[in-house]
């Protein structure tokens, strides 16, 4: 498949009125591809074929960039977090051309998101996820772990104040759910920094998934920023018994997988991290970038493109998110059935 892509690019070059020194992932070694683009050559080839129909030149624009050139430029942007001008030295393109390539690849990835980011709704997929959480963390009935993370951006021209976080900068707050292997199974990137995690949850599709008919059997694990529900297990706020302390310890161990998932996302795709520079785009575009990176993350995981995780970096990212998070009064007035559900689960965990 790589040979076919190279031949197609060469034919396109010959038709160009002006020679452009295009460089794509095909000229990179395997190590360089993983380092510069955060995907293996095989994974990028797969991506090029996946997005080909969306990115190919049209009859009205026969001299458009080849698919491999667009994908390489977009991946370089996602992976480095650099603003667009450094990409001209990689792809032989102007900044405006690179911007169009990033936009096209992002739109296509978001369109394919439903095929790569899937919450377990079928009985078979639910059972598989539950078994993996049980095997890895000794926690039964878990269908995912949930949390939110911030991505900083420039102050938008409209409603800028609602995007101001506790640090006085602008960001969006994004809800993410992952499975026990750090695959993203749900993402909701629609709300500004001033929205609390629990509010974003109420506006997402997740409550309907668990409360629908038929409803999903199992629960999510969330931290104390979320309300306790029969389908959302949170830690005891003031654990005073051996049972409650044991529950919180096991809950924290399993819930930590979402921090690793978010850490991997931001370490793999530097455009999502403040250290790479605040994204100079609108909230809608930054949300699309995040969804696109989630798709790429899951593709990377499928192709065995793993990262060496530095736990100190993960903890730094967790603290950074916590510092930006809107503070809400702790509410311990939970539904009686949710309290009973957690107590029953805590008893079961104590016996395991």
């Amino acid at each position: 498949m790589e040979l076919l892509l190279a031949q197609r690019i060469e034919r396109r070059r010959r038709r160009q009125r002006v020679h452009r020194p295009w460089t794509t992932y095909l000229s990179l070694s395997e190590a360089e591809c993983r380092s510069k683009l955060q995907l293996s050559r095989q994974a990028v080839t797969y991506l090029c074929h996946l997005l080909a129909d969306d990115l190919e030149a049209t009859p009205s624009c026969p001299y458009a960039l080849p698919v491999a050139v667009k994908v390489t430029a977009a991946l370089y942007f996602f992976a480095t977090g650099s603003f667009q001008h450094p990409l001209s030295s990689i792809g032989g393109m102007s900044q405006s051309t690179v911007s169009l390539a990033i936009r096209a690849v992002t739109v296509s990835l978001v369109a394919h998101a439903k095929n790569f980011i899937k919450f377990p709704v079928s009985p078979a997929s639910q059972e598989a996820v539950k078994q993996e959480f049980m095997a890895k963390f000794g926690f039964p009935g878990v269908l995912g772990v949930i949390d939110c993370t911030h991505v900083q951006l420039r102050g938008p021209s409209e409603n800028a104040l609602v995007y101001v976080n506790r640090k006085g900068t602008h960001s969006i707050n994004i809800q993410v759910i992952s499975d026990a292997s750090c695959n993203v199974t749900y993402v909701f990137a629609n709300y500004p920094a001033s929205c609390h995690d629990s509010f974003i949850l109420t506006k997402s599709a997740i409550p309907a998934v668990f409360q629908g008919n038929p409803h999903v059997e199992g629960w999510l694990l969330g931290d104390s920023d979320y309300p306790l529900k029969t389908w959302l297990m949170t830690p005891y706020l003031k654990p005073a018994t051996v049972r409650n302390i044991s529950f919180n310890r096991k809950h924290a161990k399993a819930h930590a997988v979402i921090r690793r998932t978010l850490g991997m996302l931001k370490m793999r795709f530097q455009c999502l991290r403040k250290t790479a520079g605040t994204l100079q785009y609108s909230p809608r575009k930054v949300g699309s970038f995040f969804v696109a990176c989630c798709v790429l993350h899951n593709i990377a995981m499928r192709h065995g493109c793993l990262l060496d995780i530095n736990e100190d970096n993960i903890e730094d990212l967790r603290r950074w998110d916590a510092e930006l998070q809107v503070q809400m009064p702790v509410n311990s007035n939970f539904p009686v059935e949710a309290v009973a559900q957690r107590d029953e689960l805590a008893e079961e965990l104590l016996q395991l």
Side-chain angles (χ1 to χ4, degrees):
M1 288 194 294
E2 288 186 1
L3 178 60
L4 291 175
L5 282 171
Q7 291 173 340
R8 188 178 302 169
I9 292 171
E10 183 60 29
R11 287 195 297 270
R12 190 72 58 78
R13 274 181 176 170
R14 291 172 182 172
R15 293 199 301 267
Q16 283 290 326
R17 295 171 182 170
V18 178
H19 174 71
R20 294 175 182 269
W22 287 329
T23 299
T24 74
Y25 78 99
L26 295 168
S27 64
L28 302 177
S29 67
E30 177 67 19
E32 288 174 329
C33 196
R34 288 175 179 261
S35 174
K36 294 178 183 293
L37 307 182
Q38 293 299 314
L39 292 173
S40 65
R41 282 172 59 102
Q42 181 187 46
V44 182
T45 299
Y46 167 79
L47 191 62
C48 288
H49 286 278
L50 176 70
L51 307 183
D53 288 345
D54 297 333
L55 303 181
E56 281 283 10
T58 62
S60 61
C61 188
Y63 300 110
L65 296 171
V67 171
V69 176
K70 292 178 182 177
V71 170
T72 301
L75 289 179
Y76 185 79
F77 169 73
F78 292 141
T80 64
S82 300
F83 295 122
Q84 296 170 9
H85 62 274
L87 290 166
S88 59
S89 63
I90 296 295
M93 297 177 283
S94 67
Q95 182 172 331
S96 60
T97 302
V98 170
S99 180
L100 290 174
I102 293 171
R103 181 183 182 279
V105 172
T106 300
V107 169
S108 184
L109 285 169
V110 171
H112 285 275
K114 61 182 179 297
N115 298 319
F116 294 92
I117 302 174
K118 298 180 180 180
F119 190 78
V121 292
S122 70
S125 62
Q126 290 172 31
E127 187 59 28
V129 173
K130 289 177 185 178
Q131 288 183 4
E132 188 175 21
F133 270 104
M134 187 64 185
K136 290 186 174 182
F137 305 109
F139 210 113
V142 181
L143 291 173
V145 284
I146 185 171
D147 207 347
C148 283
T149 189
H150 285 254
V151 176
Q152 295 203 152
L153 42 72
R154 72 181 182 195
S157 57
E158 296 182 3
N159 302 317
L161 286 179
V162 299
Y163 290 91
V164 176
N165 53 51
R166 288 176 62 206
K167 285 289 189 177
T169 58
H170 297 86
S171 60
I172 57 175
N173 195 14
I174 303 172
Q175 178 180 286
V176 180
I177 298 175
S178 77
D179 63 17
S181 295
C182 295
N183 295 294
V184 175
T185 59
Y186 183 82
V187 59
F188 190 46
N190 287 29
Y191 284 88
S194 61
C195 293
H196 190 261
D197 295 3
S198 59
F199 172 80
I200 296 173
L201 175 64
T202 64
K203 299 300 181 179
S204 73
I206 293 304
V209 170
F210 283 93
Q211 298 169 353
N213 187 18
H215 64 277
V216 171
E217 294 290 344
W219 38 75
L220 300 175
L221 299 183
D223 61 22
S224 56
D225 287 329
Y226 291 99
L228 177 68
K229 297 180 179 295
T230 56
W231 50 269
L232 177 55
M233 293 292 105
T234 61
Y236 288 95
L237 296 178
K238 296 179 180 180
T241 66
V242 172
R243 183 197 68 181
N244 294 4
I245 293 171
S246 176
F247 176 90
N248 279 12
R249 186 181 299 115
K250 293 181 179 180
H251 181 286
K253 182 180 178 181
H255 186 263
V257 73
I258 187 63
R259 302 314 317 171
R260 290 179 64 83
T261 303
L262 295 174
M264 290 172 70
L265 263 171
K266 292 187 174 183
M267 291 166 66
R268 192 189 298 275
F269 303 112
Q270 295 288 316
C271 70
L272 304 178
R273 295 185 65 178
K274 180 181 181 296
T275 52
T278 300
L279 286 168
Q280 301 298 300
Y281 295 91
S282 69
R284 182 181 294 274
K285 285 186 177 180
V286 173
S288 294
F289 287 157
F290 193 92
V291 175
C293 287
C294 288
V295 174
L296 293 172
H297 169 79
N298 284 359
I299 289 174
M301 298 292 282
R302 289 187 186 186
H303 283 81
C305 305
L306 304 180
L307 291 176
D308 292 329
I309 300 299
N310 185 309
E311 295 299 333
D312 290 338
N313 288 343
I314 297 295
E315 182 59 22
D316 287 343
L317 288 169
R318 186 201 66 77
R319 282 197 297 266
W320 182 79
D321 266 333
E323 290 172 355
L324 301 185
Q325 177 64 52
V326 173
Q327 296 296 300
M328 296 285 287
V330 176
N331 181 9
S332 58
N333 187 25
F334 302 129
V336 173
E337 60 271 25
V339 173
Q341 177 74 70
R342 183 173 62 182
D343 288 344
E344 182 180 338
L345 180 57
E347 286 289 350
E348 180 182 348
L349 284 170
L350 194 61
Q351 304 305 317
L352 292 177

